[in-house]
């Protein structure tokens, strides 16, 4: 799924295994017709004065994009953070991934910074933050 979604930028199988074993990670999988069509991993982080979440990956199979899979996964992850009392959630997204950036913006994420060459030379990212409230659904959903 990672390779189908991200190609050469996909996280390695070993990293996936490590994430799934981590006590600080939460993951959800979307399935349809016995097929895995998406997944999300959120890392829980402790800071001096607060806890935060970080969306480590959100991958949707190419044939399932635009069908609400990403929306359902990010909603579920943000609901869990809210349940845990964690208001802040960070992520990095490819600066040229307009669809993903729009999805995150619908959930209240705002761009904090541009990260030059984050993914590779010439592949920039945006670091985004969402400070949650009780409302985790985007407007109009």
């Amino acid at each position: 799924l990672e390779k189908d979604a991200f190609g050469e930028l996909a996280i390695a199988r070993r990293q996936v295994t490590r994430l799934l074993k981590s006590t600080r990670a939460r993951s959800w999988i979307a399935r349809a017709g016995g097929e895995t069509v998406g997944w999300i991993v959120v890392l829980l982080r402790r800071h001096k004065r607060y806890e935060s979440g970080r969306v480590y990956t959100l991958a949707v199979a190419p044939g399932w994009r635009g069908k609400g899979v990403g929306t359902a996964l990010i909603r579920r992850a943000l609901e869990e953070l809210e349940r845990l009392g964690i208001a802040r959630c960070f992520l990095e997204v490819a600066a040229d991934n307009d669809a993903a950036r729009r999805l995150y913006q619908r959930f209240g994420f705002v761009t904090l910074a541009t990260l030059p060459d984050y993914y590779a030379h010439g592949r920039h990212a945006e670091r985004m933050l969402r400070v949650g409230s009780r409302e985790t659904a985007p407007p109009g959903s």
Side-chain angles (χ1 to χ4, degrees):
L1 178 62
E2 278 286 316
K3 285 186 181 184
D4 286 345
F6 299 119
E8 75 278 357
L9 298 178
I11 57 177
R13 181 181 300 266
R14 186 169 63 163
Q15 181 65 9
V16 169
T17 301
R18 202 170 120 224
L19 285 168
L20 293 175
K21 291 180 181 179
S22 172
T23 60
R24 300 297 292 166
R26 301 295 183 271
S27 60
W28 294 270
I29 295 171
R31 296 181 59 81
E35 172 187 4
T36 298
V37 298
W39 86 313
I40 188 170
V41 176
V42 176
L43 300 178
L44 306 179
R45 303 163 70 189
R46 292 187 194 276
H47 307 272
K48 283 187 178 186
R49 286 178 259 150
Y50 64 92
E51 287 186 297
S52 70
R54 177 175 176 240
V55 176
Y56 191 82
T57 189
L58 170 57
V60 176
W64 285 87
R65 291 180 184 158
K67 298 180 180 180
V69 175
T71 297
L73 288 167
I74 192 72
R75 177 180 288 125
R76 178 65 184 94
L78 293 173
E79 286 171 351
E80 179 66 8
L81 291 177
E82 294 276 331
R83 188 187 71 75
L84 294 171
I86 298 172
R88 294 180 186 160
C89 186
F90 295 88
L91 59 83
E92 291 80 32
V93 61
D96 62 356
N97 189 340
D98 295 333
R101 287 180 29 253
R102 282 191 304 271
L103 170 66
Y104 297 134
Q105 288 167 349
R106 285 195 318 266
F107 278 92
F109 283 88
V110 296
T111 299
L112 297 178
T114 298
L115 308 172
D117 303 324
Y118 183 82
Y119 292 107
H121 181 70
R123 296 290 317 265
H124 311 310
E126 290 184 7
R127 175 162 292 136
M128 301 182 85
L129 167 67
R130 177 187 184 269
V131 178
S133 64
R134 291 236 174 248
E135 181 61 49
T136 58
S141 68

